[in-house]
Amino acid sequence: MEERQQDPQRPKAPAWNPYLATCPTRQVLDCIADKWAVLVLGLLLGGTRRFGELRRDIQGVSQKMLTQTLRSLERDGIVHREVYATVPPKVEYSLTTLGESLATTLDELRLWAERNIEDVLRHRETFDAAVASEGPSTSARNR
Protein backbone atom coordinates (compact mmCIF):
# COMPACT_ATOMS: atom_id res chain seq x y z
CA MET A 1 0.00 0.00 0.00
CA GLU A 2 1.35 3.41 -0.92
CA GLU A 3 1.98 5.80 1.97
CA ARG A 4 0.68 9.32 1.47
CA GLN A 5 3.08 12.15 2.19
CA GLN A 6 1.67 14.93 4.34
CA ASP A 7 2.22 18.50 3.20
CA PRO A 8 4.54 20.05 5.83
CA GLN A 9 2.71 23.40 5.46
CA ARG A 10 -0.65 21.85 6.27
CA PRO A 11 -1.43 21.19 9.94
CA LYS A 12 -2.22 17.59 10.81
CA ALA A 13 -5.97 16.96 10.97
CA PRO A 14 -7.25 15.83 14.36
CA ALA A 15 -8.21 12.18 14.67
CA TRP A 16 -11.97 12.43 15.11
CA ASN A 17 -13.66 9.65 17.04
CA PRO A 18 -17.46 9.76 17.07
CA TYR A 19 -17.52 7.07 19.75
CA LEU A 20 -16.21 9.63 22.25
CA ALA A 21 -18.94 11.69 23.93
CA THR A 22 -17.07 14.95 23.32
CA CYS A 23 -16.37 14.44 19.61
CA PRO A 24 -17.97 17.20 17.46
CA THR A 25 -18.74 14.69 14.70
CA ARG A 26 -21.64 13.54 16.88
CA GLN A 27 -23.35 16.89 16.31
CA VAL A 28 -23.15 16.35 12.55
CA LEU A 29 -24.41 12.79 12.92
CA ASP A 30 -27.34 14.04 15.00
CA CYS A 31 -28.30 16.41 12.22
CA ILE A 32 -27.95 14.02 9.30
CA ALA A 33 -29.48 11.03 11.10
CA ASP A 34 -32.75 12.96 11.44
CA LYS A 35 -35.49 11.55 9.21
CA TRP A 36 -36.53 15.00 8.03
CA ALA A 37 -32.95 15.85 7.00
CA VAL A 38 -32.69 12.62 5.02
CA LEU A 39 -35.95 13.37 3.21
CA VAL A 40 -35.05 17.03 2.51
CA LEU A 41 -31.67 16.06 1.11
CA GLY A 42 -33.25 13.35 -1.04
CA LEU A 43 -35.60 15.88 -2.62
CA LEU A 44 -32.85 18.46 -3.11
CA LEU A 45 -30.82 15.85 -5.01
CA GLY A 46 -33.42 16.40 -7.73
CA GLY A 47 -32.67 20.13 -7.86
CA THR A 48 -33.50 23.47 -6.27
CA ARG A 49 -36.77 23.67 -4.33
CA ARG A 50 -38.82 26.32 -2.61
CA PHE A 51 -39.97 25.91 0.99
CA GLY A 52 -43.59 25.25 0.00
CA GLU A 53 -42.55 22.56 -2.46
CA LEU A 54 -40.50 20.78 0.20
CA ARG A 55 -43.33 20.99 2.70
CA ARG A 56 -45.87 19.68 0.19
CA ASP A 57 -43.65 16.81 -0.94
CA ILE A 58 -42.64 15.66 2.57
CA GLN A 59 -45.95 14.61 4.06
CA GLY A 60 -46.19 14.92 7.83
CA VAL A 61 -43.47 17.53 8.37
CA SER A 62 -44.62 20.67 10.17
CA GLN A 63 -43.61 24.14 9.06
CA LYS A 64 -41.61 24.56 12.27
CA MET A 65 -39.76 21.24 11.87
CA LEU A 66 -38.95 21.90 8.21
CA THR A 67 -37.65 25.37 9.08
CA GLN A 68 -35.45 23.96 11.87
CA THR A 69 -34.14 21.21 9.59
CA LEU A 70 -33.29 23.61 6.76
CA ARG A 71 -31.55 26.05 9.13
CA SER A 72 -29.48 23.27 10.64
CA LEU A 73 -28.46 21.99 7.21
CA GLU A 74 -27.65 25.54 6.10
CA ARG A 75 -25.56 26.14 9.23
CA ASP A 76 -23.52 23.02 8.51
CA GLY A 77 -22.88 24.11 4.91
CA ILE A 78 -24.99 21.31 3.45
CA VAL A 79 -27.83 23.44 2.06
CA HIS A 80 -27.65 26.84 0.38
CA ARG A 81 -30.52 29.29 0.96
CA GLU A 82 -31.04 31.92 -1.75
CA VAL A 83 -33.35 34.85 -1.00
CA TYR A 84 -34.62 36.93 -3.93
CA ALA A 85 -35.67 40.54 -3.38
CA THR A 86 -39.17 40.21 -4.76
CA VAL A 87 -42.63 40.89 -3.36
CA PRO A 88 -43.48 38.51 -1.86
CA PRO A 89 -39.92 37.32 -1.11
CA LYS A 90 -38.82 34.22 -2.97
CA VAL A 91 -36.56 31.73 -1.15
CA GLU A 92 -34.97 28.70 -2.77
CA TYR A 93 -32.95 25.86 -1.28
CA SER A 94 -30.28 23.84 -3.03
CA LEU A 95 -27.44 21.51 -2.13
CA THR A 96 -23.91 22.77 -1.74
CA THR A 97 -21.03 20.63 -3.00
CA LEU A 98 -20.68 19.26 0.52
CA GLY A 99 -24.44 18.63 0.57
CA GLU A 100 -24.36 16.77 -2.73
CA SER A 101 -21.77 14.33 -1.38
CA LEU A 102 -23.86 13.75 1.74
CA ALA A 103 -27.19 13.51 -0.10
CA THR A 104 -25.82 10.89 -2.47
CA THR A 105 -24.66 8.81 0.49
CA LEU A 106 -27.95 9.23 2.39
CA ASP A 107 -30.01 8.41 -0.68
CA GLU A 108 -28.46 4.94 -0.59
CA LEU A 109 -29.91 4.60 2.92
CA ARG A 110 -33.36 5.57 1.63
CA LEU A 111 -33.07 3.08 -1.23
CA TRP A 112 -32.00 0.36 1.22
CA ALA A 113 -35.11 1.09 3.31
CA GLU A 114 -37.34 0.85 0.23
CA ARG A 115 -35.73 -2.43 -0.89
CA ASN A 116 -35.89 -4.04 2.55
CA ILE A 117 -39.06 -2.71 4.19
CA GLU A 118 -41.03 -5.90 3.57
CA ASP A 119 -38.38 -8.04 5.31
CA VAL A 120 -38.18 -5.58 8.21
CA LEU A 121 -41.96 -5.59 8.65
CA ARG A 122 -42.02 -9.40 8.54
CA HIS A 123 -39.29 -9.59 11.23
CA ARG A 124 -41.14 -7.09 13.41
CA GLU A 125 -44.32 -9.12 13.14
CA THR A 126 -42.50 -12.34 14.07
CA PHE A 127 -40.72 -10.66 17.00
CA ASP A 128 -43.90 -9.03 18.32
CA ALA A 129 -45.80 -12.34 18.11
CA ALA A 130 -43.02 -14.13 20.02
CA VAL A 131 -42.96 -11.46 22.75
CA ALA A 132 -46.75 -11.56 23.05
CA SER A 133 -46.74 -15.36 23.42
CA GLU A 134 -44.13 -15.20 26.21
CA GLY A 135 -46.48 -13.28 28.44
CA PRO A 136 -45.73 -10.13 30.47
CA SER A 137 -43.63 -11.70 33.25
CA THR A 138 -41.27 -13.57 30.91
CA SER A 139 -40.65 -10.70 28.49
CA ALA A 140 -40.06 -8.19 31.33
CA ARG A 141 -37.59 -10.52 33.04
CA ASN A 142 -35.53 -11.06 29.87
CA ARG A 143 -34.94 -7.39 29.12
Side-chain angles (χ1 to χ4, degrees):
M1 183 184 294
E2 183 180 313
E3 232 180 89
R4 291 178 18 182
Q5 297 288 325
Q6 182 168 338
D7 181 352
Q9 301 297 319
R10 187 175 182 188
K12 187 175 180 179
W16 301 112
N17 183 349
Y19 295 98
L20 297 176
T22 58
C23 185
T25 59
R26 282 195 178 188
Q27 295 169 0
V28 175
L29 289 172
D30 283 344
C31 174
I32 64 175
D34 176 73
K35 70 178 173 184
W36 302 122
V38 171
L39 296 173
V40 165
L41 294 175
L43 286 176
L44 291 178
L45 258 178
T48 300
R49 299 282 186 109
R50 294 180 70 176
F51 184 91
E53 293 173 314
L54 291 169
R55 183 150 183 235
R56 182 185 65 239
D57 292 342
I58 303 174
Q59 293 183 4
V61 69
S62 68
Q63 181 172 338
K64 178 183 177 185
M65 193 70 242
L66 182 55
T67 299
Q68 289 175 351
T69 300
L70 287 165
R71 284 182 189 240
S72 179
L73 292 169
E74 182 183 9
R75 179 178 184 234
D76 289 343
I78 295 167
V79 166
H80 172 73
R81 180 176 182 258
E82 184 75 32
V83 180
Y84 297 92
T86 60
V87 178
K90 178 181 172 185
V91 180
E92 292 181 336
Y93 296 91
S94 60
L95 294 173
T96 63
T97 303
L98 183 63
E100 286 178 15
S101 69
L102 174 61
T104 302
T105 301
L106 287 178
D107 205 45
E108 285 299 317
L109 181 62
R110 178 191 58 82
L111 292 171
W112 181 91
E114 290 176 4
R115 282 190 306 268
N116 293 285
I117 187 60
E118 291 172 7
D119 286 338
V120 170
L121 293 174
R122 192 169 37 257
H123 284 284
R124 284 182 182 179
E125 188 175 300
T126 302
F127 179 88
D128 292 347
V131 169
S133 69
E134 290 175 2
S137 61
T138 307
S139 61
R141 189 173 60 239
N142 290 335
R143 290 183 196 236

